[in-house]
Each structure stands twice: as structure tokens, then as C-alpha cells.
Amino acid sequence: MLGVIVASVVVLGGSGFGLKYLDSQAIAPDWTRGADPTWPASELSGIEPIPHGWYMVISDDRGEEAPPRFGFVRLDFIANPATGEPSFRGIGRVDMHPLFTPEGETFKENVIDPESIRLLGEEDESRQFLVASEGYAKDGIGPKLYLFDQAKGGAPLDVTPPEFEVSEGKGIRHNRGFEALGVTPDKAWAYTANEEPLIQDEASGCVRLIEVDLNAKKATREFAYKPGPATLCEKPKQLGLVEMVALDRGRLLTLERDEDGKGGFDGRLYLVDLDGATDVSGHEALDADTSPVTKTLLGTLSETGAPSANYEGFCLGPKFATGQLVILVSDGDTEADRAARFTLLMLSGDLEGANESSDEHAGQP
């Protein structure tokens, strides 16, 4: 079931970037059950490219219906002979596998709440990857980054700042922990952030973006990031940062999402620069004197004509003559009988040359 390719392009005045919707395909529940026939359909909240046309995905299931799990899917594209732009040729079945502890056991319910997955590389013929876990505030479990070895299992890294931990009147709100995760191409730095403000940061409207030195395995810097403005309605049910891609140290692509409470979703893609933002490491609460990161809006999903869905994951796909392919994946779909939706966008503009944010966008949300 392929979506209709449309020709609308959203070009932001002065930004030099354009965002175009290309194609979309929703997949049936049976396509995501994995090897175990007793597992339910897997809603997908993260996607990451690996070699030869394959992608890693992760299920947004904290173990309520089946063990927390990740998987692999093949995405094939075909280029339009007239424009050279891709659409889906096909999407393979999602091959799901449980996440294991170092003891070779599956994770118990609510210990890990997977939201994003990023590849680190191959070592001794085993794949290494990071997973962002949202935490489970109702049980006092804070958000964490997990380092996994596909053959040996995974455990959390000790990089979560103390202000994120759950305590009276502080820390993450339930189901609003680490949602986004990015790793630089050289695999030296990782970035993660809470989806919506910590309890003590609500007045600021900002979430906290954490930088992690992957070689030293420690958090190095922390920045304020202000989501919004929302596009669906004045007071959305949800408004937050749901995914990111690290272009290099200090520059990110981010995906924000808002929900109107009536089944409607919208998203916005931003180019983010950390240069000039206040390092808020150790700040118990964010205040008005904090300078947040700089955001440049690259496009709004609804304006491109992309189908409405609960997009929580995205990655960069292959480059084409017309721009950089962006692949979105949804955590479920607005169609009741679909497990997930994959959507293709084309981002035009010079990402590599966009090192300096213009004064026009400096400090703007």
C-alpha cells in the first residue's frame, strides 16, 4: 500500500532549506511480530540505518506485552525516472529479537522503556548499539542510556544527571523521559533529551539536552531546548522533543511532535546549533537567564502533505541529486489495522555548510 507522491515543497524563507513529502507506506501488524508467534504487533519508535539497505528498529514496549525488543527491516526504494526522487519499492517483514541483560536474560517489565536506537559499530563480529530508555517514573525508575552488545547483552551507562532522577517534586514526569537519541558520525559523542520538561523546569518550558562523551562514558555538557511552538492547536495534549540525529558535535537535526487529544498529530523538523547556549550542567532548575539552543525550522509535516501519524523516530537515508532522504517511522498509526508507518521526505539544502545559524533565527524557538 504505497502513498501518493505529491509535489508540494515547504521552503523556509531565508533558511535555504526545503522539505518535500515523497511517499508513505503503513504496514500490517503481522509484519512486525517477529520470530515468536505469541508476540503482539510491535509499534516502532526508532530507526537507524545499517549497511546494505537494512535498518535497525526498536519497539516501544516496556515489556507489558512481550520482552523489550529490537529488530531489523529491509527498505527498498525505486527512483522516479523523470525526477530521480525515490519512493518505496517495498518494505520487508520486521525481524524482531529480545533485548538481553549481560546475564542472558530478557528485561523484566518496566525496567527498560526503549524509545530510540543508534548504531555504534561492529566489534568481534558483534554489533554495538545504544538505546534510550524513557524510565518508569511511577516506580521511581529514571531515564537511562543503555549500551548493548548484540552477543553479550546490555546495561545502563552511568551518565544520567541527578536532576533527572525521580524524587518528590523533581525529575522526569511519567512517560516523558529520554525519548530522543543521536550519535555523531565518528561515534565519539551522543546526545539525548527528555521529551517534555522536568517537573522543576516546567515554568521554563524547556527540556534538557545532554551531551555524552562515548569514549569516557560520561556526560560532559547540558543545554536547555525549548520545544514548540505547536502547530495543531493552542494547548496540545502533548508537545515535546521525540527524536534527533547528530550531524556532528554541537549540531543536530531534531523532530518535535504535538498531539491535539483528538487523534491528530503533527511534527516539525529543526536544525539545532548548541553554540552560544548556556551550559546548564548541575542547575537544579532552569530559569529565565538560561540561553537555549538555537533552532532553525526546516519544515512542518502537515504542510508537506505527509500523512498524520505518531512519528517518534527518524533517520537519514541515502543522498540523492535532489537532496537528503529523511525516513520517519511511527509508533502505531492512525489507521486502526496498521502497526506502523514509514514515510519518506526529501530535505534540500546544504547541511554540511550550515554551521553558523543566522542572526534571524538566533535564540528563536
Side-chain angles (χ1 to χ4, degrees):
M1 181 174 70
L2 295 179
V4 177
I5 301 177
V6 299
S8 71
V9 184
V10 177
V11 179
L12 277 294
S15 74
F17 292 95
L19 194 64
K20 180 178 182 179
Y21 165 61
L22 299 178
D23 197 12
S24 188
Q25 183 171 350
I27 56 176
D30 283 347
W31 229 244
T32 65
R33 295 190 192 281
D36 190 326
T38 66
W39 286 356
S42 297
E43 295 182 339
L44 305 177
S45 61
I47 185 168
E48 172 76 342
I50 56 177
H52 310 302
W54 286 86
Y55 294 79
M56 299 177 73
V57 292
I58 198 153
S59 172
D60 185 7
D61 183 353
R62 60 174 71 102
E64 294 177 310
E65 302 182 78
R69 53 205 180 277
F70 76 109
F72 303 91
V73 62
R74 173 84 184 191
L75 302 182
D76 288 316
F77 311 114
I78 186 170
N80 183 308
T83 66
E85 293 178 331
S87 59
F88 282 116
R89 183 197 297 269
I91 297 177
R93 288 185 178 271
V94 184
D95 181 24
M96 301 301 294
H97 304 270
L99 293 166
F100 288 108
T101 68
E103 293 73 34
E105 301 174 348
T106 57
F107 285 86
K108 296 180 179 179
E109 184 177 349
N110 298 332
V111 170
I112 183 172
D113 185 1
E115 293 292 346
S116 183
I117 187 168
R118 296 300 180 202
L119 179 68
L120 292 182
E122 310 283 338
E123 185 175 311
D124 298 328
E125 300 182 352
S126 180
R127 185 171 285 111
Q128 323 286 307
F129 56 94
L130 285 177
V131 169
S133 173
E134 195 161 39
Y136 196 72
K138 289 182 178 179
D139 288 351
I141 299 174
K144 295 178 175 64
L145 286 188
Y146 278 76
L147 175 60
F148 279 91
D149 180 299
Q150 193 170 343
K152 301 175 184 178
L157 296 174
D158 184 19
V159 297
T160 304
E163 53 267 26
F164 284 79
E165 298 300 339
V166 182
S167 61
E168 185 65 30
K170 297 180 181 180
I172 61 164
R173 293 189 293 146
H174 187 67
N175 205 35
R176 299 292 185 268
F178 289 169
E179 186 90 10
L181 175 62
V183 172
T184 56
D186 61 5
K187 312 302 182 185
W189 304 93
Y191 294 90
T192 188
N194 44 318
E195 179 183 357
E196 294 186 9
L198 301 177
I199 293 173
Q200 68 269 29
D201 293 339
E202 285 196 68
S204 73
C206 292
V207 302
R208 300 189 185 217
L209 196 155
I210 305 166
E211 180 185 77
V212 176
D213 182 335
L214 290 175
N215 293 316
K217 294 183 174 55
K218 67 177 183 179
T220 54
R221 299 187 294 173
E222 194 175 323
F223 302 96
Y225 177 112
K226 190 168 186 177
T231 51
L232 280 178
C233 57
E234 185 177 350
K235 295 182 179 180
K237 179 182 177 181
Q238 292 186 34
L239 170 63
L241 173 59
V242 294
E243 188 59 293
M244 65 179 72
V245 167
L247 300 174
D248 51 46
R249 187 184 184 191
R251 288 197 315 133
L252 313 168
L253 291 177
T254 62
L255 177 66
E256 295 182 16
R257 174 200 60 193
D258 51 284
E259 179 186 359
D260 62 9
K262 302 176 182 179
F265 295 94
D266 202 1
R268 294 163 302 284
L269 194 67
Y270 290 93
L271 177 64
V272 173
D273 194 335
L274 308 187
D275 188 35
T278 304
D279 185 348
V280 297
S281 301
H283 290 208
E284 187 170 323
L286 302 179
D287 54 39
D289 294 331
T290 300
S291 295
V293 301
T294 300
K295 295 165 50 181
T296 300
L297 180 63
L298 303 182
T300 300
L301 298 187
S302 59
E303 292 181 357
T304 68
S308 175
N310 186 23
Y311 297 112
E312 289 194 343
F314 85 98
C315 68
L316 299 183
K319 286 186 178 180
F320 290 80
T322 54
Q324 173 69 63
L325 189 65
V326 177
I327 305 169
L328 303 173
V329 66
S330 72
D331 184 357
D333 193 65
T334 52
E335 296 182 45
D337 62 341
R338 304 285 95 181
R341 175 175 290 278
F342 293 87
T343 292
L344 302 181
L345 305 172
M346 185 63 74
L347 177 62
S348 58
D350 184 10
L351 283 175
E352 294 181 1
N355 286 315
E356 297 296 331
S357 299
S358 67
D359 292 339
E360 174 186 358
H361 296 283
Q364 295 294 320

